[in-house]
């Protein structure tokens, strides 16, 4: 009887040990004055059975014993994570930009020194009570990557996927395809994508740089071309450059409306080239799209139009084709065109014109955005008005968006002419 009890006790210990080893260990480090957000997120993440959150007292002890200052240093953050034997870090930081404060939370894989995901809010968040739930939902798909060992992790840098013809339509396709490809590759557990592909890094995020870590020196490089024929058929040719210097070419074709099918084919071919089998992490594209749309909305309200535009493009790429997303994409592009007006009054039409309000000779981006915003207005709204088979719930709203978009584009294009940029 004693032997049986002893065996049961050993089995229980083994099961408990395996459970603890299987748990993903996360440390949450917040800027001074933001500890309440750290506490809120600790409670939320602790609800997940496979996650173990390091106690704040343990973090403070390591910081004190090692005399580490985490202010604006990615190396120090990662050092703390290593000392704590954490798989992941959540960094919660405050930024000030254009006299406004923002709360930015990043999820970092300690083993690779890679930022996996980030979420931004105004400070304080509009709804503090839902903030930890939003962060948890944003980071959830990436938690499976935190346990990937250094020898299994594959770093990939997506460089340029360019069209042979430089037009607003093709630039839009380039961005949408790059986003679609990155989102698909991210779903593979062992693949880590350099953040540069996002092109949505917020203007104030320059002080934490994990992309210069040694992990990236041996990365695979992706670049290539994308072509569009008959306004519908897409052909993509991607060059994969391996760390040792070898190159291989991956090709896929499909329709403009099925970029996911093209990226699926390329991902399968890429995995074969690098000797990996498919191992997708749980991924809810709809939830991810909703989070990007939330970020885009608050960024627009804060007057951060470039950031708003990038975030809503990500939401659209992930499949959010709601009226809100369609309208916001046009609005954000229109304000990137002519951003001098405050967002809260952007709908108030003012036909006054001053050719010196914007110097387009020094800001070619304004002209590009003017043409792009008109392209999006046509695609997202004008091509979908009732006679095209679709109606919008808020007709007044889309008409106001159309008027402002046309006005902003007209101001910039006229200034382009008046300032002698056309010969």
């Amino acid at each position: 009887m004693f032997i049986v009890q002893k065996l049961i006790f050993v089995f229980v210990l083994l099961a408990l040990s395996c459970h603890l080893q299987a748990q993903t260990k996360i440390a949450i480090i917040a800027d001074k004055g933001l500890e309440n957000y750290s506490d809120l997120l600790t409670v939320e993440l602790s609800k997940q059975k496979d996650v173990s959150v390091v106690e704040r007292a343990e973090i403070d002890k390591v910081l004190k014993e090692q005399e580490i200052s985490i202010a604006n240093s990615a190396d120090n953050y990662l050092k703390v994570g290593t000392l704590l034997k954490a798989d992941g870090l959540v960094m919660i930081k405050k930024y000030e930009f254009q006299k406004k404060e923002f709360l930015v939370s990043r999820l970092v894989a300690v083993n690779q020194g890679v930022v996996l995901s980030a979420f931004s809010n105004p400070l304080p968040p509009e709804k503090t009570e839902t903030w930890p739930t939003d962060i948890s939902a944003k980071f959830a798909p990436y938690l499976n990557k935190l346990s990937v060992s250094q020898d299994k992790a594959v770093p990939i840098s997506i460089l340029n996927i360019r069209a042979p013809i430089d037009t607003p339509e093709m630039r839009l396709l380039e961005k949408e395809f790059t986003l679609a490809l990155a989102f698909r590759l991210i779903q593979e557990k062992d693949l880590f994508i350099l953040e540069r592909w996002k092109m949505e890094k917020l203007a104030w995020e320059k002080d934490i740089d994990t992309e210069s870590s040694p992990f990236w020196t041996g990365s695979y490089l992706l670049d290539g071309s994308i072509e569009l024929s008959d306004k519908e058929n897409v052909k993509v040719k991607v060059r994969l450059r391996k760390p040792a210097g070898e190159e291989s070419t991956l090709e896929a074709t499909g329709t403009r409306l099925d970029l996911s099918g093209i990226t699926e084919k390329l991902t399968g071919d890429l995995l074969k080239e690098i000797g990996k089998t498919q191992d997708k992490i749980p991924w809810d594209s709809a939830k991810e799209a909703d989070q990007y749309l939330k970020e885009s909305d608050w960024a627009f309200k804060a007057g951060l139009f470039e950031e708003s535009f990038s975030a809503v493009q990500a939401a659209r790429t992930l499949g959010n084709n709601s009226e809100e997303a369609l309208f916001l994409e046009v609005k954000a592009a229109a304000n990137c065109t002519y951003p001098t007006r405050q967002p809260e009054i952007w709908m108030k039409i003012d036909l006054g014109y001053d050719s010196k309000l914007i110097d387009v000779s020094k800001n070619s981006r304004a002209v590009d955005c003017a043409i792009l915003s008109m392209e999006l207005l046509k695609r997202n709204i004008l091509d979908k008005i009732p006679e095209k088979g679709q109606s919008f719930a808020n007709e007044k709203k889309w008409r106001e968006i159309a008027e402002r978009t046309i006005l902003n584009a007209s101001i910039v294009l006229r200034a382009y002419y008046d300032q002698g940029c056309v010969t």
Side-chain angles (χ1 to χ4, degrees), residues 3-168:
I3 295 176
V4 173
Q5 289 178 333
K6 192 172 183 179
L7 285 173
I8 292 174
F9 178 70
V10 170
F11 285 134
V12 169
L13 284 179
L14 285 172
L16 180 60
S17 174
C18 290
H19 173 68
L20 291 174
Q21 289 178 7
Q23 282 192 309
T24 300
K25 191 175 183 180
I26 296 176
I28 303 174
I29 303 178
D31 278 355
K32 189 174 182 180
L34 301 178
E35 292 86 358
N36 59 318
Y37 294 102
S38 173
D39 293 340
L40 288 171
L41 189 56
T42 295
V43 172
E44 186 64 32
L45 289 178
S46 297
K47 295 176 182 177
Q48 301 191 36
K49 63 179 181 179
D50 295 329
V51 172
S52 170
V53 182
V54 180
E55 294 290 337
R56 194 206 298 179
E58 188 177 348
I59 296 173
D60 292 341
K61 181 181 178 183
V62 168
L63 291 174
K64 185 176 181 180
E65 288 178 351
Q66 301 294 323
E67 296 183 347
I68 297 174
S69 172
I70 58 174
N72 300 335
S73 173
D75 289 340
N76 285 348
Y77 274 104
L78 294 174
K79 184 177 180 180
V80 172
T82 301
L83 290 171
L84 291 168
K85 297 182 179 179
D87 301 301
L89 281 178
V90 175
M91 305 187 301
I92 303 176
K93 296 183 66 63
K94 177 176 73 174
Y95 293 89
E96 185 173 326
F97 185 69
Q98 295 181 353
K99 298 181 179 180
K100 297 173 182 176
E101 290 186 334
F102 302 94
L103 184 67
V104 179
S105 308
R106 296 183 186 84
L107 176 66
V108 181
V110 174
N111 289 331
Q112 291 76 30
V114 179
V115 176
L116 295 177
S117 184
F119 192 73
S120 308
N121 301 85
L123 182 63
E126 293 179 355
K127 295 182 179 180
T128 303
E129 66 275 14
T130 63
W131 176 83
T133 307
D134 289 340
I135 295 292
S136 180
K138 176 77 172 181
F139 291 168
Y142 303 93
L143 298 182
N144 288 281
K145 286 177 170 284
L146 296 177
S147 59
V148 176
S149 61
Q150 186 84 5
D151 61 317
K152 289 186 177 180
V154 178
I156 296 178
S157 297
I158 300 179
L159 303 179
N160 298 319
I161 309 292
R162 296 296 190 200
I165 302 174
D166 186 18
T167 65

Side-chain angles (χ1 to χ4, degrees), residues 232-335:
E232 181 182 353
N233 299 311
V234 176
K235 180 180 180 180
V236 180
K237 184 180 291 187
V238 173
R239 177 176 58 172
L240 173 65
R241 285 182 277 175
K242 301 178 181 179
E246 304 100 325
E247 295 183 1
S248 55
T249 301
L250 315 174
E251 295 186 26
T253 58
T255 66
R256 179 75 172 75
L257 298 177
D258 186 30
L259 295 182
S260 61
I262 300 175
T263 58
E264 191 68 37
K265 168 71 163 55
L266 290 173
T267 299
D269 292 344
L270 182 145
L271 290 171
K272 290 178 183 177
E273 285 289 334
I274 65 177
K276 290 281 185 179
T277 56
Q278 193 174 99
D279 185 13
K280 291 181 71 173
I281 61 176
W283 183 272
D284 190 329
S285 296
K287 282 187 177 180
E288 184 83 356
D290 287 344
Q291 295 297 335
Y292 274 110
L293 190 60
K294 285 182 180 180
E295 289 187 75
S296 178
D297 182 57
W298 78 253
F300 182 86
K301 291 174 180 175
L304 303 170
F305 303 124
E306 293 279 358
E307 288 77 11
S308 175
F309 184 56
S310 291
V312 75
Q313 278 194 301
R316 296 269 286 112
T317 299
L318 285 165
N320 191 322
N321 295 311
S322 65
E323 188 170 298
E324 180 185 4
L326 292 172
F327 287 1
L328 187 52
E329 188 176 25
V330 179
K331 286 201 310 181
N335 279 270

